[in-house]
């Protein structure tokens, strides 16, 4: 069963954790909210895996020529195309059906995500700039799904920050692919290191500014308390740390190739770099503490 589970790319499910942002930053932790968040998370894991399967089927020939992707279960012949297609359609139909059964708004976000992914896989992943914009849009839809599933509000600034951070990671991924030179993505022919560097600067600035505006508090229609500004240094360091890890010239000689490969998978960076993991943990701890104190009326 391992090749079939691996074909679902469960390590990519970490991208769906953004769904929990809505109840977390509204400090809504009753049983119904937690269960609805988990339900939405599971549905997005299913629907995202369905498109990973479809993508691997569509790109099977190019994946077989890729030095790393050739080991994917479908490209390696460990999972038959017919089985992968059946799994994909079952996950896609099941997740949308259950989403609509839960609520029309959650079902609608799943349908929007499915249409976006379908357009990406059929055309947009080969269109320069639109490919990275679609990736960022997918994270915004996930965040909205968490809000509609739990019936809580998310600040517009938080959604903007989510989009800019996802755009930043997508640009970093393209930079790593371009450096390695082993990617079969046709869209990379339209990118250059100088262009990606300029785009990275815009995305970095947008991420930090939108997070700062959100954490400034309700005066700017952001977080429920301006004390969230205390979390800004951790976000600043986290972004800078990721840029350091994505720069092969900043690594020792024997780790430069590893840096190139690792930043092709943003979730791999998050799960393997201890300083970055520690930063995320402290950020979460500080944010939770501030929200708890605000919820208890001890701070405003």
């Amino acid at each position: 069963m391992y090749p079939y589970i691996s074909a679902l790319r469960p390590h990519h499910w970490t991208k769906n954790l953004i769904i929990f942002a809505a109840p977390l930053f509204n400090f809504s932790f009753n049983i119904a909210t937690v269960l609805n968040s988990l339900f939405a998370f599971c549905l997005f894991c299913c629907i995202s895996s369905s498109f990973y399967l479809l993508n691997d089927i569509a790109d099977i020939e190019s994946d077989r020529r890729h030095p790393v992707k050739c080991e994917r279960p479908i490209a390696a012949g460990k999972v038959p195309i017919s089985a992968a297609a059946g799994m994909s359609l079952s996950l896609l139909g099941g997740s949308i059906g259950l989403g609509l059964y839960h609520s029309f708004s959650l079902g609608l976000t799943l349908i929007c995500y499915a249409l976006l992914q379908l357009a990406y896989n059929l055309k947009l992943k080969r269109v320069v700039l639109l490919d990275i914009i679609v990736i960022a849009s997918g994270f915004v839809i996930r965040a909205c799904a968490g809000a509609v599933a739990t019936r809580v509000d998310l600040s517009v600034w938080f959604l903007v920050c989510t989009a800019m951070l996802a755009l930043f990671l997508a640009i970093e991924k393209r930079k790593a692919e371009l450096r390695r030179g082993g990617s079969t993505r046709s869209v990379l022919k339209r990118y250059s290191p100088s262009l990606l560097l300029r785009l990275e600067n815009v995305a970095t600035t947008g991420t930090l500014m939108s997070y700062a505006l959100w954490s400034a508090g309700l005066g700017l229609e952001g977080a429920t308390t301006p004390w969230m500004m205390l979390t800004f240094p951790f976000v600043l360091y986290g972004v800078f740390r990721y840029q350091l890890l994505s720069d092969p010239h900043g690594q020792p000689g024997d780790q430069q190739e590893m840096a190139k490969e690792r930043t092709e998978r943003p979730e791999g960076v998050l799960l393997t770099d201890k300083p970055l993991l520690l930063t995320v943990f402290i950020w979460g701890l500080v944010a939770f503490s501030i929200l708890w104190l605000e919820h208890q009326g001890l701070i405003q």
Side-chain angles (χ1 to χ4, degrees), residues 258-277:
M258 184 184 299
K260 295 176 183 179
E261 179 180 351
R262 185 166 52 177
T263 47
E264 284 191 47
R265 300 175 294 106
E267 69 285 350
V269 178
L270 178 62
L271 296 175
T272 57
D273 185 65
K274 291 181 179 179
L276 193 56
L277 267 176

Side-chain angles (χ1 to χ4, degrees), residues 152-170:
V152 297
D153 296 326
L154 271 181
S155 165
V156 172
W157 286 119
F158 188 85
L159 292 176
V160 173
C161 181
T162 299
M164 297 304 296
L165 180 59
L167 196 62
F168 166 78
L169 293 175

Side-chain angles (χ1 to χ4, degrees), residues 82-291:
S82 58
M87 291 168 59
S88 176
L89 294 176
S90 298
L91 290 170
L92 178 61
S95 57
I96 292 177
L98 289 172
L100 289 170
Y101 178 79
H102 178 274
S103 68
F104 176 77
S105 54
L106 179 58
L108 185 60
T109 57
L110 285 161
I111 291 173
C112 290
Y113 180 82
L115 292 175
L116 184 70
Q117 291 301 310
L118 188 62
Y120 177 79
N121 283 283
L122 292 178
K123 178 66 178 179
L124 298 182
K125 69 179 181 181
R126 292 180 287 274
V127 180
V128 66
L129 299 181
L130 286 183
D131 61 325
I132 56 176
I133 292 175
V134 168
I135 293 174
S137 300
F139 282 89
V140 174
I141 293 177
R142 289 179 174 98
C144 291
V148 300
T150 56
R151 295 182 174 86
V152 297
D153 296 326
L154 271 181
S155 165
V156 172
W157 286 119
F158 188 85
L159 292 176
V160 173
C161 181
T162 299
M164 297 304 296
L165 180 59
L167 196 62
F168 166 78
L169 293 175
I171 293 169
E172 291 291 335
K173 181 179 175 67
R174 292 293 183 266
K175 280 176 58 180
E177 291 171 339
L178 195 62
R179 285 194 187 108
R180 280 176 62 82
S183 178
T184 55
R185 294 183 188 273
S186 59
V187 73
L188 287 178
K189 298 176 182 179
R190 300 295 307 279
Y191 286 112
S192 66
S194 59
L195 172 63
L196 289 172
L197 180 61
R198 293 196 298 272
L199 295 178
E200 178 190 44
N201 291 336
V202 172
T204 302
T205 304
T207 299
L208 297 176
M209 288 302 298
S210 56
Y211 187 87
L213 290 168
W214 171 79
S215 59
L218 291 174
L220 294 176
E221 299 183 0
T224 55
T225 171
W227 283 92
M228 287 300 292
M229 280 295 293
L230 292 176
T231 65
F232 181 76
F234 302 107
V235 175
L236 182 67
Y237 175 80
V239 172
F240 287 174
R241 175 71 184 177
Y242 193 99
Q243 287 182 309
L244 173 66
L245 295 172
S246 67
D247 183 10
H249 300 292
Q251 309 297 324
D254 58 340
Q255 296 183 20
Q256 290 188 7
E257 191 64 26
M258 184 184 299
K260 295 176 183 179
E261 179 180 351
R262 185 166 52 177
T263 47
E264 284 191 47
R265 300 175 294 106
E267 69 285 350
V269 178
L270 178 62
L271 296 175
T272 57
D273 185 65
K274 291 181 179 179
L276 193 56
L277 267 176
L278 181 61
T279 301
V280 173
F281 174 76
I282 297 176
W283 169 83
L285 183 62
V286 173
F288 183 86
S289 301
I290 291 171
L291 292 170

